[in-house]
Amino acid sequence: MAAITETRLSITRAARHRLFWPAVILVILLVTNVFFSGSFFKVEFRDGHLYGSVIDILRASAPLGLVALGMTLVIATGGIDLSVGAVVAIAGALACLRISGLDDQNSVTGVLLAVGLALLLSLALGVWNGFLVATVGIQPIIATLILMVAGRGLAQLITDGQIITINSSPYKMIGAGYWLGLPLCVIIAVGVAVVAGLIVRRSALGLLLESVGGNAEASRLAGIKSRWLILIVYVFAGLCAGIAGLMISSNVSSADGNNAGLLIELDAILAVVIGGTSLSGGRFSIAGTILGAVIIKTLDITIYTVGIPPEVTLLFKAVVVVVLCLAQAPKFREKFQRRRPSAPAPQAPQQKVEVTA
């Protein structure tokens, strides 16, 4: 009986962890795919590369994970960045435009220069957002909405309203290449996430970000320079969106200023929320955000595997997200547990008392 009670307590403690229910949903989605595709978990090693549905999910999750990673730190400070989709389009458009003008599109030097220019522009756009929010004092949703609208126009201006196609093997490596048998985009995304996690968790930066997001006024009175912190997180979000834009455009060897990264900001915010980060700011979870991005892409794959009609795809996705968010909500779990009949408490064994005359 004691062992059963201890097991229940362990399960209860695990269920309270912020990553427990997202992990459960991910397992359910993966198992669901197995019923409709028996070879879903099959991973093959061909020509020195890994192939399989799981690898496809990881590859698709890399750009979204990067965008959501930058969004996590922005939301941790109590902000929001709606312009990441436009930055994705701008970075891909500028890189492809530069490469298309090269005499030799397979020139490594030329490709590296194009990538560098795209990332520098992404950093500059992040500085612009941070300046509007931290220095000018514009509300984050308004400040980033400006670049969200203007950025799409800038991306279409770079591409002249056309789809730029290129044929560059070095550039294609970013989004469709392999290294050590794994997709290079996955390695890049994991590397950026690990570096970011080490910086914010092994230094005081993470606590400072949570302090600014939890109570900005108290942080200011405590001597924390919140303006610089807010500027840094928006610059980092711009950098992550720029890298994601390079991955997306290199994967298809083209740049579309109108559709590249379209609505990726909504999926990024959703991944952050699924990972357990509060939209009001404060505590955040980088691991939870990455898990949220994988869940979203797994859900997309599941929709196609199950064969859900296209006209109800978005509705099905919304229902799954609502269920996941409810499972994570502490108040909902408390109400659900209260309605469950509690098990009777074990009674102590009665001892016989001998009465002697």
PDB file of all heavy atoms in Angstrom, residues 8-30:
ATOM      1  N   ARG A   8       1.734   7.229  -6.579  1.00  0.00           N
ATOM      2  CA  ARG A   8       0.761   8.288  -6.869  1.00  0.00           C
ATOM      3  C   ARG A   8       1.349   9.665  -6.604  1.00  0.00           C
ATOM      4  O   ARG A   8       1.141  10.603  -7.379  1.00  0.00           O
ATOM      5  CB  ARG A   8      -0.496   8.080  -6.024  1.00  0.00           C
ATOM      6  CG  ARG A   8      -1.348   6.888  -6.458  1.00  0.00           C
ATOM      7  CD  ARG A   8      -2.578   6.765  -5.569  1.00  0.00           C
ATOM      8  NE  ARG A   8      -3.430   5.668  -5.995  1.00  0.00           N
ATOM      9  CZ  ARG A   8      -4.551   5.310  -5.369  1.00  0.00           C
ATOM     10  NH1 ARG A   8      -4.944   5.994  -4.282  1.00  0.00           N
ATOM     11  NH2 ARG A   8      -5.268   4.312  -5.814  1.00  0.00           N
ATOM     12  N   LEU A   9       2.091   9.785  -5.514  1.00  0.00           N
ATOM     13  CA  LEU A   9       2.713  11.066  -5.196  1.00  0.00           C
ATOM     14  C   LEU A   9       3.741  11.456  -6.258  1.00  0.00           C
ATOM     15  O   LEU A   9       3.852  12.625  -6.643  1.00  0.00           O
ATOM     16  CB  LEU A   9       3.369  11.006  -3.816  1.00  0.00           C
ATOM     17  CG  LEU A   9       2.420  10.908  -2.615  1.00  0.00           C
ATOM     18  CD1 LEU A   9       3.208  10.742  -1.323  1.00  0.00           C
ATOM     19  CD2 LEU A   9       1.537  12.142  -2.543  1.00  0.00           C
ATOM     20  N   SER A  10       4.487  10.478  -6.750  1.00  0.00           N
ATOM     21  CA  SER A  10       5.484  10.755  -7.791  1.00  0.00           C
ATOM     22  C   SER A  10       4.814  11.220  -9.074  1.00  0.00           C
ATOM     23  O   SER A  10       5.276  12.169  -9.730  1.00  0.00           O
ATOM     24  CB  SER A  10       6.328   9.510  -8.051  1.00  0.00           C
ATOM     25  OG  SER A  10       6.993   9.087  -6.874  1.00  0.00           O
ATOM     26  N   ILE A  11       3.707  10.555  -9.443  1.00  0.00           N
ATOM     27  CA  ILE A  11       2.984  10.957 -10.650  1.00  0.00           C
ATOM     28  C   ILE A  11       2.395  12.352 -10.482  1.00  0.00           C
ATOM     29  O   ILE A  11       2.426  13.171 -11.414  1.00  0.00           O
ATOM     30  CB  ILE A  11       1.879   9.928 -10.968  1.00  0.00           C
ATOM     31  CG1 ILE A  11       2.501   8.572 -11.313  1.00  0.00           C
ATOM     32  CG2 ILE A  11       1.002  10.421 -12.112  1.00  0.00           C
ATOM     33  CD1 ILE A  11       1.478   7.474 -11.534  1.00  0.00           C
ATOM     34  N   THR A  12       1.877  12.642  -9.296  1.00  0.00           N
ATOM     35  CA  THR A  12       1.308  13.971  -9.044  1.00  0.00           C
ATOM     36  C   THR A  12       2.366  15.053  -9.138  1.00  0.00           C
ATOM     37  O   THR A  12       2.136  16.121  -9.729  1.00  0.00           O
ATOM     38  CB  THR A  12       0.655  14.014  -7.648  1.00  0.00           C
ATOM     39  OG1 THR A  12      -0.338  12.991  -7.567  1.00  0.00           O
ATOM     40  CG2 THR A  12       0.014  15.364  -7.397  1.00  0.00           C
ATOM     41  N   ARG A  13       3.537  14.791  -8.573  1.00  0.00           N
ATOM     42  CA  ARG A  13       4.620  15.773  -8.665  1.00  0.00           C
ATOM     43  C   ARG A  13       5.065  15.962 -10.103  1.00  0.00           C
ATOM     44  O   ARG A  13       5.347  17.076 -10.542  1.00  0.00           O
ATOM     45  CB  ARG A  13       5.797  15.329  -7.792  1.00  0.00           C
ATOM     46  CG  ARG A  13       5.563  15.522  -6.295  1.00  0.00           C
ATOM     47  CD  ARG A  13       6.868  15.375  -5.535  1.00  0.00           C
ATOM     48  NE  ARG A  13       7.376  14.014  -5.628  1.00  0.00           N
ATOM     49  CZ  ARG A  13       7.164  13.077  -4.713  1.00  0.00           C
ATOM     50  NH1 ARG A  13       6.433  13.374  -3.639  1.00  0.00           N
ATOM     51  NH2 ARG A  13       7.663  11.865  -4.858  1.00  0.00           N
ATOM     52  N   ALA A  14       5.139  14.868 -10.863  1.00  0.00           N
ATOM     53  CA  ALA A  14       5.544  14.979 -12.267  1.00  0.00           C
ATOM     54  C   ALA A  14       4.510  15.743 -13.077  1.00  0.00           C
ATOM     55  O   ALA A  14       4.849  16.524 -13.969  1.00  0.00           O
ATOM     56  CB  ALA A  14       5.757  13.586 -12.861  1.00  0.00           C
ATOM     57  N   ALA A  15       3.225  15.546 -12.773  1.00  0.00           N
ATOM     58  CA  ALA A  15       2.160  16.231 -13.519  1.00  0.00           C
ATOM     59  C   ALA A  15       2.166  17.730 -13.280  1.00  0.00           C
ATOM     60  O   ALA A  15       1.644  18.490 -14.098  1.00  0.00           O
ATOM     61  CB  ALA A  15       0.802  15.652 -13.144  1.00  0.00           C
ATOM     62  N   ARG A  16       2.751  18.162 -12.180  1.00  0.00           N
ATOM     63  CA  ARG A  16       2.814  19.588 -11.899  1.00  0.00           C
ATOM     64  C   ARG A  16       3.933  20.286 -12.642  1.00  0.00           C
ATOM     65  O   ARG A  16       3.981  21.514 -12.669  1.00  0.00           O
ATOM     66  CB  ARG A  16       2.984  19.806 -10.391  1.00  0.00           C
ATOM     67  CG  ARG A  16       1.757  19.396  -9.567  1.00  0.00           C
ATOM     68  CD  ARG A  16       2.049  19.533  -8.090  1.00  0.00           C
ATOM     69  NE  ARG A  16       0.870  19.132  -7.297  1.00  0.00           N
ATOM     70  CZ  ARG A  16       0.880  19.038  -5.968  1.00  0.00           C
ATOM     71  NH1 ARG A  16       2.000  19.313  -5.293  1.00  0.00           N
ATOM     72  NH2 ARG A  16      -0.209  18.667  -5.327  1.00  0.00           N
ATOM     73  N   HIS A  17       4.851  19.522 -13.217  1.00  0.00           N
ATOM     74  CA  HIS A  17       5.950  20.132 -13.975  1.00  0.00           C
ATOM     75  C   HIS A  17       5.404  20.780 -15.238  1.00  0.00           C
ATOM     76  O   HIS A  17       4.499  20.252 -15.884  1.00  0.00           O
ATOM     77  CB  HIS A  17       6.998  19.077 -14.322  1.00  0.00           C
ATOM     78  CG  HIS A  17       8.298  19.661 -14.769  1.00  0.00           C
ATOM     79  ND1 HIS A  17       8.531  20.071 -16.068  1.00  0.00           N
ATOM     80  CD2 HIS A  17       9.436  19.924 -14.076  1.00  0.00           C
ATOM     81  CE1 HIS A  17       9.755  20.543 -16.159  1.00  0.00           C
ATOM     82  NE2 HIS A  17      10.331  20.472 -14.964  1.00  0.00           N
ATOM     83  N   ARG A  18       5.963  21.912 -15.612  1.00  0.00           N
ATOM     84  CA  ARG A  18       5.439  22.667 -16.745  1.00  0.00           C
ATOM     85  C   ARG A  18       5.600  21.936 -18.081  1.00  0.00           C
ATOM     86  O   ARG A  18       4.882  22.215 -19.035  1.00  0.00           O
ATOM     87  CB  ARG A  18       6.135  24.032 -16.830  1.00  0.00           C
ATOM     88  CG  ARG A  18       7.605  23.951 -17.212  1.00  0.00           C
ATOM     89  CD  ARG A  18       8.198  25.320 -17.436  1.00  0.00           C
ATOM     90  NE  ARG A  18       8.277  26.083 -16.194  1.00  0.00           N
ATOM     91  CZ  ARG A  18       8.718  27.326 -16.150  1.00  0.00           C
ATOM     92  NH1 ARG A  18       9.091  27.934 -17.249  1.00  0.00           N
ATOM     93  NH2 ARG A  18       8.808  27.958 -14.991  1.00  0.00           N
ATOM     94  N   LEU A  19       6.529  20.991 -18.162  1.00  0.00           N
ATOM     95  CA  LEU A  19       6.750  20.278 -19.419  1.00  0.00           C
ATOM     96  C   LEU A  19       6.055  18.925 -19.476  1.00  0.00           C
ATOM     97  O   LEU A  19       6.149  18.237 -20.497  1.00  0.00           O
ATOM     98  CB  LEU A  19       8.260  20.072 -19.648  1.00  0.00           C
ATOM     99  CG  LEU A  19       9.114  21.336 -19.747  1.00  0.00           C
ATOM    100  CD1 LEU A  19      10.551  20.970 -20.045  1.00  0.00           C
ATOM    101  CD2 LEU A  19       8.565  22.268 -20.817  1.00  0.00           C
ATOM    102  N   PHE A  20       5.353  18.548 -18.392  1.00  0.00           N
ATOM    103  CA  PHE A  20       4.749  17.215 -18.363  1.00  0.00           C
ATOM    104  C   PHE A  20       3.656  17.078 -19.416  1.00  0.00           C
ATOM    105  O   PHE A  20       3.689  16.155 -20.240  1.00  0.00           O
ATOM    106  CB  PHE A  20       4.178  16.926 -16.970  1.00  0.00           C
ATOM    107  CG  PHE A  20       3.463  15.611 -16.872  1.00  0.00           C
ATOM    108  CD1 PHE A  20       4.172  14.438 -16.727  1.00  0.00           C
ATOM    109  CD2 PHE A  20       2.068  15.545 -16.933  1.00  0.00           C
ATOM    110  CE1 PHE A  20       3.513  13.219 -16.650  1.00  0.00           C
ATOM    111  CE2 PHE A  20       1.412  14.337 -16.853  1.00  0.00           C
ATOM    112  CZ  PHE A  20       2.129  13.168 -16.702  1.00  0.00           C
ATOM    113  N   TRP A  21       2.683  17.985 -19.418  1.00  0.00           N
ATOM    114  CA  TRP A  21       1.563  17.848 -20.331  1.00  0.00           C
ATOM    115  C   TRP A  21       1.953  18.083 -21.787  1.00  0.00           C
ATOM    116  O   TRP A  21       1.454  17.370 -22.671  1.00  0.00           O
ATOM    117  CB  TRP A  21       0.428  18.773 -19.900  1.00  0.00           C
ATOM    118  CG  TRP A  21      -0.225  18.313 -18.636  1.00  0.00           C
ATOM    119  CD1 TRP A  21      -0.118  18.873 -17.401  1.00  0.00           C
ATOM    120  CD2 TRP A  21      -1.045  17.159 -18.481  1.00  0.00           C
ATOM    121  NE1 TRP A  21      -0.824  18.152 -16.481  1.00  0.00           N
ATOM    122  CE2 TRP A  21      -1.417  17.082 -17.112  1.00  0.00           C
ATOM    123  CE3 TRP A  21      -1.511  16.182 -19.352  1.00  0.00           C
ATOM    124  CZ2 TRP A  21      -2.227  16.088 -16.614  1.00  0.00           C
ATOM    125  CZ3 TRP A  21      -2.325  15.179 -18.851  1.00  0.00           C
ATOM    126  CH2 TRP A  21      -2.667  15.135 -17.496  1.00  0.00           C
ATOM    127  N   PRO A  22       2.838  19.034 -22.101  1.00  0.00           N
ATOM    128  CA  PRO A  22       3.316  19.098 -23.490  1.00  0.00           C
ATOM    129  C   PRO A  22       3.987  17.809 -23.953  1.00  0.00           C
ATOM    130  O   PRO A  22       3.790  17.380 -25.093  1.00  0.00           O
ATOM    131  CB  PRO A  22       4.307  20.270 -23.458  1.00  0.00           C
ATOM    132  CG  PRO A  22       3.826  21.135 -22.354  1.00  0.00           C
ATOM    133  CD  PRO A  22       3.295  20.194 -21.320  1.00  0.00           C
ATOM    134  N   ALA A  23       4.760  17.189 -23.062  1.00  0.00           N
ATOM    135  CA  ALA A  23       5.407  15.925 -23.425  1.00  0.00           C
ATOM    136  C   ALA A  23       4.372  14.828 -23.652  1.00  0.00           C
ATOM    137  O   ALA A  23       4.509  14.015 -24.580  1.00  0.00           O
ATOM    138  CB  ALA A  23       6.396  15.509 -22.335  1.00  0.00           C
ATOM    139  N   VAL A  24       3.321  14.815 -22.831  1.00  0.00           N
ATOM    140  CA  VAL A  24       2.262  13.815 -22.997  1.00  0.00           C
ATOM    141  C   VAL A  24       1.563  14.005 -24.350  1.00  0.00           C
ATOM    142  O   VAL A  24       1.309  13.039 -25.079  1.00  0.00           O
ATOM    143  CB  VAL A  24       1.252  13.906 -21.836  1.00  0.00           C
ATOM    144  CG1 VAL A  24       0.021  13.062 -22.139  1.00  0.00           C
ATOM    145  CG2 VAL A  24       1.898  13.441 -20.547  1.00  0.00           C
ATOM    146  N   ILE A  25       1.245  15.242 -24.696  1.00  0.00           N
ATOM    147  CA  ILE A  25       0.591  15.526 -25.975  1.00  0.00           C
ATOM    148  C   ILE A  25       1.481  15.115 -27.137  1.00  0.00           C
ATOM    149  O   ILE A  25       1.011  14.537 -28.138  1.00  0.00           O
ATOM    150  CB  ILE A  25       0.233  17.021 -26.075  1.00  0.00           C
ATOM    151  CG1 ILE A  25      -0.816  17.386 -25.031  1.00  0.00           C
ATOM    152  CG2 ILE A  25      -0.277  17.364 -27.462  1.00  0.00           C
ATOM    153  CD1 ILE A  25      -2.147  16.704 -25.224  1.00  0.00           C
ATOM    154  N   LEU A  26       2.782  15.376 -27.030  1.00  0.00           N
ATOM    155  CA  LEU A  26       3.707  14.989 -28.099  1.00  0.00           C
ATOM    156  C   LEU A  26       3.731  13.475 -28.274  1.00  0.00           C
ATOM    157  O   LEU A  26       3.712  12.971 -29.410  1.00  0.00           O
ATOM    158  CB  LEU A  26       5.109  15.508 -27.777  1.00  0.00           C
ATOM    159  CG  LEU A  26       6.207  15.140 -28.780  1.00  0.00           C
ATOM    160  CD1 LEU A  26       5.869  15.697 -30.164  1.00  0.00           C
ATOM    161  CD2 LEU A  26       7.566  15.652 -28.315  1.00  0.00           C
ATOM    162  N   VAL A  27       3.765  12.749 -27.160  1.00  0.00           N
ATOM    163  CA  VAL A  27       3.759  11.280 -27.249  1.00  0.00           C
ATOM    164  C   VAL A  27       2.462  10.787 -27.887  1.00  0.00           C
ATOM    165  O   VAL A  27       2.480   9.879 -28.734  1.00  0.00           O
ATOM    166  CB  VAL A  27       3.946  10.670 -25.844  1.00  0.00           C
ATOM    167  CG1 VAL A  27       3.721   9.162 -25.885  1.00  0.00           C
ATOM    168  CG2 VAL A  27       5.333  10.975 -25.310  1.00  0.00           C
ATOM    169  N   ILE A  28       1.333  11.386 -27.514  1.00  0.00           N
ATOM    170  CA  ILE A  28       0.050  10.979 -28.096  1.00  0.00           C
ATOM    171  C   ILE A  28       0.029  11.219 -29.602  1.00  0.00           C
ATOM    172  O   ILE A  28      -0.438  10.373 -30.377  1.00  0.00           O
ATOM    173  CB  ILE A  28      -1.106  11.736 -27.407  1.00  0.00           C
ATOM    174  CG1 ILE A  28      -1.248  11.288 -25.950  1.00  0.00           C
ATOM    175  CG2 ILE A  28      -2.420  11.509 -28.153  1.00  0.00           C
ATOM    176  CD1 ILE A  28      -2.284  12.071 -25.166  1.00  0.00           C
ATOM    177  N   LEU A  29       0.543  12.365 -30.033  1.00  0.00           N
ATOM    178  CA  LEU A  29       0.580  12.662 -31.466  1.00  0.00           C
ATOM    179  C   LEU A  29       1.468  11.668 -32.212  1.00  0.00           C
ATOM    180  O   LEU A  29       1.120  11.194 -33.305  1.00  0.00           O
ATOM    181  CB  LEU A  29       1.076  14.093 -31.687  1.00  0.00           C
ATOM    182  CG  LEU A  29       0.137  15.226 -31.258  1.00  0.00           C
ATOM    183  CD1 LEU A  29       0.831  16.568 -31.423  1.00  0.00           C
ATOM    184  CD2 LEU A  29      -1.155  15.186 -32.064  1.00  0.00           C
ATOM    185  N   LEU A  30       2.621  11.362 -31.632  1.00  0.00           N
ATOM    186  CA  LEU A  30       3.536  10.423 -32.287  1.00  0.00           C
ATOM    187  C   LEU A  30       2.923   9.028 -32.381  1.00  0.00           C
ATOM    188  O   LEU A  30       3.024   8.363 -33.418  1.00  0.00           O
ATOM    189  CB  LEU A  30       4.855  10.373 -31.521  1.00  0.00           C
ATOM    190  CG  LEU A  30       5.714  11.648 -31.559  1.00  0.00           C
ATOM    191  CD1 LEU A  30       6.921  11.510 -30.645  1.00  0.00           C
ATOM    192  CD2 LEU A  30       6.157  11.965 -32.988  1.00  0.00           C
TER     193      LEU A  30
END
